[in-house]
Amino acid sequence: MRLKPGALLRFYSLCGILIQGSQGQFPLTQNVTVVEGGTANLTCRVDQNDNTSLQWSNPAQQTLYFDDKKALRDNRIELVRASWHELSISVSDVSLSDEGQYTCSLFTMPVKTSKAFLTVLGVPEKPQITGFTSPVMEGERMQLTCKTSGSKPAADIRWFKNDKEVKDVKYLKEEDANRKTFTVSSTLDFLADRSDDGAVVSCRVDHESLNSTPQIAMQVLEIHYTPLVKIISSNSWPEEGQSIILTCESKGKPVPEPVLWTKDGGELPDPERMVVNGRVLSISFLNKTDNGTYRCEAKNPIGRNSTEYVLIVHDPNALAGKTGPDHALIGGIVAVVVFVTLCSIILLGRYLARHKGTYLTNEAKGAEDAPDADTAIINAEGSQVNAEEKKEYFI
């Protein structure tokens, strides 16, 4: 049968429209990440579709859904939405084996496809700390190991001591038997110190599958150490007749036994005045015989330690006493005053000597002042020949 030219033209135009319309149809998908045991939603959309079928298939190229018809018998897979523009399905209780590339197909001529990769995160197991044996002696080396398995990708482990992060640690990553997940471990290595007693050491596992809520394992440290001893005095300037209390503070683990007090390497010489009550030594009515070195010793099953206190009893009546007058200072002041006074008198005498009085006596004034004629003649002759000035000095 032959078509007329006009009909043939119309047929070719219709075919061109169909081909152009099919070329504008493309399935759109997105990659999905889900935690192991969770639910994955796979969605395929087509903006322009002329009633062409959609299909989802798994990484093994098995058809899961063809439009709204289920093709694979798997109770975990369900239809969410089916239309000419969308085909959405869900996979519940996802396992690591479900990971892979899923394909959405649009059955045009030719068939068009879009890929969506399903990533399954392996949740790390709760971490555990090993290597701690209680108690630990001060100075011993401690090696604590934190370990967790089943993470995908490999989890991160961080150490903390009393909420302060410890950076100098070792990290090891190993692939599990399933060749999908990892076992990671970290070792904290340090020397035990008395300051670590009671410290909380924590191991924290961070992983993207944990939704910003890390898994934490904790261990409280118990460190045994020898006693630390210190003597505290109640009187910083003890005087004769007063009392003094010496307190021996001892800290150790286990708790130290009752302390031992000695004086100058021997027993306390006067038990009536020197009374020991637990860690406290009380000495009443102090005198010079109490001077000496007092030792306090504490011990526990780990070891022993001691400290000393030198007692000096002061005489309240001594010149160099704490509150008496300083006679040496007073004597020095008096000596300075006397010296300054003498110097002043000497300087004044020298000043007056330099300003001496000079005058003529009545005999040298002339005859008119003489009491008789003989004296007047003598005075006149003296004045004519060479009159001498008579000088008198006054102090």
Side-chain angles (χ1 to χ4, degrees), residues 124-131 143-149 155-166 169-172 184-188 190 199-207 210 213-221:
E125 298 176 357
K126 185 175 178 59
Q128 292 183 346
I129 297 178
T130 59
Q143 288 186 334
L144 304 181
T145 301
C146 179
K147 186 176 182 179
T148 179
S149 302
D156 183 35
I157 294 180
R158 299 166 66 188
W159 285 97
F160 295 84
K161 184 188 290 186
N162 287 339
D163 298 327
K164 183 179 181 180
E165 185 171 3
V166 182
V169 297
K170 298 178 181 178
Y171 181 83
L172 178 63
V184 294
S185 61
S186 180
T187 301
L188 177 63
F190 63 98
V200 178
V201 174
S202 59
C203 158
R204 193 173 89 178
V205 175
D206 294 306
H207 194 263
L210 300 176
T213 304
Q215 293 181 343
I216 299 176
M218 293 187 297
Q219 177 67 60
V220 179
L221 302 183

Side-chain angles (χ1 to χ4, degrees), residues 239-241 270 273 284-291 313:
E239 296 180 351
E240 287 184 312
D270 193 345
R273 292 188 305 109
S284 57
F285 303 107
L286 291 170
N287 57 64
K288 292 292 185 179
T289 62
D290 297 326
N291 289 342
V313 180

Side-chain angles (χ1 to χ4, degrees), residues 28 67 74 83 123 153 168 221 233 260 264 294 336 341 369:
L28 301 175
D67 288 338
D74 190 336
S83 68
V123 182
D168 189 15
L221 302 183
S233 173
L260 174 64
D264 297 330
Y294 292 79
V336 170
T341 303
D369 295 328

Side-chain angles (χ1 to χ4, degrees), residues 191-255:
L191 293 177
D193 185 80
R194 63 183 60 198
S195 61
D196 295 326
D197 183 50
V200 178
V201 174
S202 59
C203 158
R204 193 173 89 178
V205 175
D206 294 306
H207 194 263
E208 54 187 300
S209 66
L210 300 176
N211 296 325
S212 302
T213 304
Q215 293 181 343
I216 299 176
M218 293 187 297
Q219 177 67 60
V220 179
L221 302 183
E222 182 181 3
I223 313 297
H224 283 192
Y225 53 94
T226 57
L228 180 65
V229 186
K230 179 173 63 174
I231 295 178
I232 300 177
S233 173
S234 65
N235 193 340
S236 60
W237 189 270
E239 296 180 351
E240 287 184 312
Q242 295 181 346
S243 298
I244 191 172
I245 297 176
L246 301 179
T247 302
C248 179
E249 290 188 351
S250 60
K251 181 182 179 182
K253 195 165 186 179
V255 177

Side-chain angles (χ1 to χ4, degrees), residues 32-34 38-42 80 89-94 118-119:
V32 177
T33 300
V34 64
T39 300
N41 293 311
L42 300 173
V80 177
I89 63 174
S90 66
V91 183
S92 60
D93 195 18
V94 174
L118 174 61
T119 301

